């Protein structure tokens, strides 16, 4: 029998071994049978094939405990939604439990399938093979399609590799999705004709599934070569379906609404999004306005890129307010298989957009050399 | 111009008014334009029609601050996914911010439309007009369709009004969705023929959108008169589309994966799920194994049932391990417009299922009298 192993961080326990064991076992039941122990254990098939079993409990240096529970993988039905329920469904409702890590068996990785393009596919698309990539966003919300296309032209002329929509660009009255995508794709083509280098424009898809799938079809038809969504806004099952049943182009994952989840960031950004199919994962890093610790960022990048039951690696995309001055250090930190996202700060000085964008592109090129 | 007002709880500020003001304003920008202030304020349309504005800041008795921000409602594009991004997209990534409350204008309530059946529709369906309703679940995961149908027969004979699938029942190899739904619907019909009272069987739908919508069509075709999903597993935008584009029967919302969200529970369970279309909302309450404070439970119920821009009220469904002995007190606490969910404990004593189920149904009837 194959097992899905999940590690939970338990807070607020005073170190009494019997109490800790009981707490961990309560999670093992809550996440599978959700009936009193006596009810589940009366039936041999359920006791053997369904109930989670506590495999280990460790005390962490900060006084919390880490309990690892092995769930028979069949409980997940190999379904993208049911998997989340087994990982952290009801137990998420306990304020003292964090989902800290998980280790899916090969069969589950095969079922969810992970990134289709991944790092290799994005390098192929952008033609950038030997250095970290650069990324920025057309924004803010409130600009017209033409104004956003103007911005895109400047970024592309400056040599930025990937230019995405801000995740706040929806199908607004003042800036409709279809004309925006058309204007930005045309602008990227125009600069490619001028310079011989085609920036990758990545439209943001947002809405209910029907709407998102229609936006995807439109974008692909008009020539978009990648798209972005916010998986934790749409829901991870919808994200999986987008990646594996609808998209033929690579998919970038944006972290909007993700911090609302009580998952460890290295699990959510490093493992879950990769397993579900993100080709590149944007996360807020240590440099910028979110203050994520460096070891967490290193773990996210390692999880996205490491060997994992044959899944393609995902491209780590640190963002969240990187200052231009910090770019060289950030490139050294993440290495070449990463894409730096610098957004609003490129627009900071009026009239200096092209210069600041060029400085960003060059800083990454130099630091990767 | 209409505004969506959102209240955030800010922790860890020492009371310096300038610092608090700056923190609140940073959220107003993060949630809309996400560029430096100078960039946004250069353009009159963006400054006037897009950027959120801080309306008030209050210090709470516990030392935290509550900042209310008014967002021009057009920023939401009246879209179920974009709304979440404006409410709590990037700001959810700041560990010191909780989304505490929101106040949508009438136009947004009209666009999202809320419950279709609500309390009135569920009373109509069950025929229970003058007392609190009773609910239980067929489970655990690992039983066959026939075993679950046997359980359902016992619950229905005991007079329980609503019998739902456990939220962990997916399309498992050992218990497929279609035969399970058929067996349970047939069991409910059989007991209705015997007793003249038809229990409402509510199948659980789970999976990616394609799968969930197919399950819904199957269930409705075979005669299911209500369904259940876990909106925070599927994603709220998918939930909205299910309620308003696919379902013709009422939809119960299960809280699985919901505690993972850093929203105030009275906002998430009391307002968001109602706005998105839940006809009944299951939440874990003060009685049971989750230890939610009573005032929070009262606020959830009040939010689900109160007048709100013409939205139909949703039925509050407290669950999470209510002990049979506590049932009368719980009924007094929530009043008649509620449904009590008692699950695994009905199966606790072998051979006593019918008796315990009957005791539950009778306790609610007596307490509501």
């Amino acid at each position: 029998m194959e097992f899905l192993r999940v590690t939970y961080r338990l807070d607020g326990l005073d170190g009494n071994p019997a109490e800790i064991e009981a707490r961990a076992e309560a999670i093992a039941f809550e996440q599978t049978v959700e009936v009193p122990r006596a009810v589940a254990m009366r039936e041999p098939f359920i006791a053997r094939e369904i109930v989670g079993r506590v495999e280990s409990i460790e005390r962490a240096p900060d006084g919390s405990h880490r309990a690892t529970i092995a769930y028979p993988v069949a409980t997940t039905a190999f379904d993208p939604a049911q998997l989340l329920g087994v990982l952290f469904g009801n137990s998420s409702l306990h304020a003292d439990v964090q989902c800290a890590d998980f280790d899916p068996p090969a069969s589950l990785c095969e079922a969810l399938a992970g990134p289709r393009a991944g790092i290799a596919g994005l390098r192929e698309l952008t033609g950038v093979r030997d250095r970290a990539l650069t990324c920025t966003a057309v924004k803010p919300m409130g600009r017209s399609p033409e104004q956003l296309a103007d911005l895109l032209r400047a970024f592309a002329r400056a040599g930025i590799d990937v230019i995405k929509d801000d995740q706040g660009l929806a199908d607004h009255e003042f800036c409709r999705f279809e004309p925006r995508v058309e204007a930005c794709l045309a602008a990227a083509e125009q600069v490619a004709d001028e310079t011989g280098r085609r920036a990758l424009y990545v439209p943001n898809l947002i809405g209910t599934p029907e709407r998102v799938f229609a936006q995807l079809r439109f974008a692909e038809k008009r020539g978009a070569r990648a798209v972005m969504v916010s998986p934790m806004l749409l829901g991870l099952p919808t994200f999986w379906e987008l990646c594996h049943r609808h998209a033929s182009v690579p998919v970038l994952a944006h972290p909007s609404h993700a911090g609302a989840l009580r998952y460890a960031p290295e699990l959510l950004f490093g493992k879950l999004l990769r397993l579900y199919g993100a080709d590149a994962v944007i996360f807020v890093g240590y440099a910028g306005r979110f203050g994520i610790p460096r070891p967490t960022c290193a773990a996210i990048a390692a999880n996205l890129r490491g060997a994992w039951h044959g899944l393609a690696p995902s491209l780590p995309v640190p963002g969240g307010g990187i200052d231009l001055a910090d770019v060289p250090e950030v490139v050294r930190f993440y290495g070449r298989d990463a894409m730096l996202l610098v957004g609003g700060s490129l627009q900071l000085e009026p009239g200096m957009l092209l210069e600041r964008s060029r400085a960003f592109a060059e800083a990454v090129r130099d630091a990767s050399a």
Side-chain angles (χ1 to χ4, degrees), chain A:
Chain A
M1 193 160 41
E2 280 195 318
F3 291 94
L4 162 68
R5 287 184 172 77
V6 186
T7 301
Y8 301 93
R9 178 196 155 116
L10 309 176
D11 287 311
L13 295 168
D14 65 3
N16 173 340
E19 192 198 346
I20 297 161
E21 179 78 33
R23 194 76 194 76
E25 189 167 88
I27 294 173
F29 278 78
E30 186 77 56
Q31 293 302 102
T32 50
V33 289
E34 206 201 322
V35 288
R37 184 188 164 82
V39 175
M41 300 320 259
R42 278 203 291 267
E43 297 174 40
F45 173 77
I46 292 174
R48 199 180 59 236
E49 310 263 344
I50 305 291
V51 174
R53 46 197 82 172
V54 179
E55 282 200 336
S56 68
I57 296 176
E58 282 171 29
R59 192 182 164 88
D62 66 0
S64 70
H65 289 80
R66 292 170 69 92
T68 297
I69 297 174
Y71 300 107
V73 71
T75 57
T76 68
F78 299 95
D79 177 89
Q82 174 73 3
L83 168 59
L84 295 178
V86 174
L87 271 180
F88 203 36
N90 277 10
S91 290
S92 74
L93 299 166
H94 284 290
D96 56 350
V97 183
Q98 187 197 39
C99 189
D101 200 4
F102 81 122
D103 179 15
S107 58
L108 193 58
C109 287
E110 205 179 302
L112 268 77
R116 293 158 305 127
I119 293 179
L122 288 163
R123 288 206 176 278
E124 181 76 35
L125 259 186
T126 53
V128 178
R129 303 196 184 271
D130 53 357
R131 59 162 172 84
L133 288 91
T134 50
C135 179
T136 190
V138 292
K139 59 181 177 183
M141 188 200 298
R143 287 199 170 138
S144 67
E146 295 68 32
Q147 289 175 308
L148 295 171
D150 283 345
L151 263 179
L152 188 141
R153 264 183 285 269
F155 293 144
R157 285 183 185 129
I160 293 178
D161 304 310
V162 175
I163 304 166
K164 67 174 193 66
D165 282 343
D166 188 41
Q167 86 289 348
L169 302 187
D171 186 31
H172 286 107
E173 246 179 59
F174 46 80
C175 184
R176 288 289 177 201
F177 175 81
E178 299 194 352
R180 180 178 94 230
V181 171
E182 285 180 331
C184 290
L185 285 170
E189 282 307 305
Q190 185 198 329
V191 178
D193 288 345
E194 284 169 29
T195 64
R197 251 192 113 261
R198 178 183 289 109
L200 183 66
Y201 164 61
V202 185
N204 178 51
L205 316 180
I206 188 164
T208 62
E210 191 178 73
R211 202 163 199 184
V212 164
F213 300 153
Q215 289 172 349
L216 172 71
R217 282 191 301 273
F218 178 86
E220 288 187 344
K221 209 166 160 182
R222 296 304 160 106
R225 296 175 298 141
V227 296
M228 181 176 85
V229 297
S230 299
M232 268 73 64
L233 266 184
L234 301 189
L236 282 165
T238 302
F239 177 66
W240 184 88
E241 190 169 297
L242 176 88
C243 293
H244 294 284
R245 293 285 178 267
H246 295 269
S248 58
V249 299
V251 181
L252 268 73
H254 189 281
S256 179
H257 215 233
L261 292 171
R262 211 182 316 124
Y263 283 98
E266 51 272 50
L267 160 59
L268 181 60
F269 296 110
K271 291 189 171 182
L272 261 185
L273 286 172
R274 179 176 173 194
L275 180 63
Y276 276 70
D279 295 295
V281 175
I282 303 173
F283 58 95
V284 295
Y286 65 88
R289 62 188 187 278
F290 291 86
I292 308 299
R294 278 169 189 256
T296 304
C297 299
I300 292 171
N303 285 345
L304 286 172
R305 297 185 296 210
W308 203 27
H309 293 308
L311 294 183
S314 288
L315 188 64
V317 189
I322 299 173
D323 195 275
L324 271 189
D326 294 331
V327 163
E329 193 280 326
V330 174
V331 173
R332 281 192 297 276
F333 182 84
Y334 292 103
R336 288 181 176 187
D337 276 338
M339 177 156 75
L340 271 67
L341 169 57
V342 175
S345 86
L346 299 183
Q347 301 187 42
L348 200 53
E349 296 172 56
M352 295 292 284
L353 183 72
L354 187 64
E355 289 69 14
R356 288 179 72 85
S357 302
R358 201 169 273 151
F360 169 40
E362 281 166 10
V364 172
R365 237 170 260 140
D366 292 349
S368 297

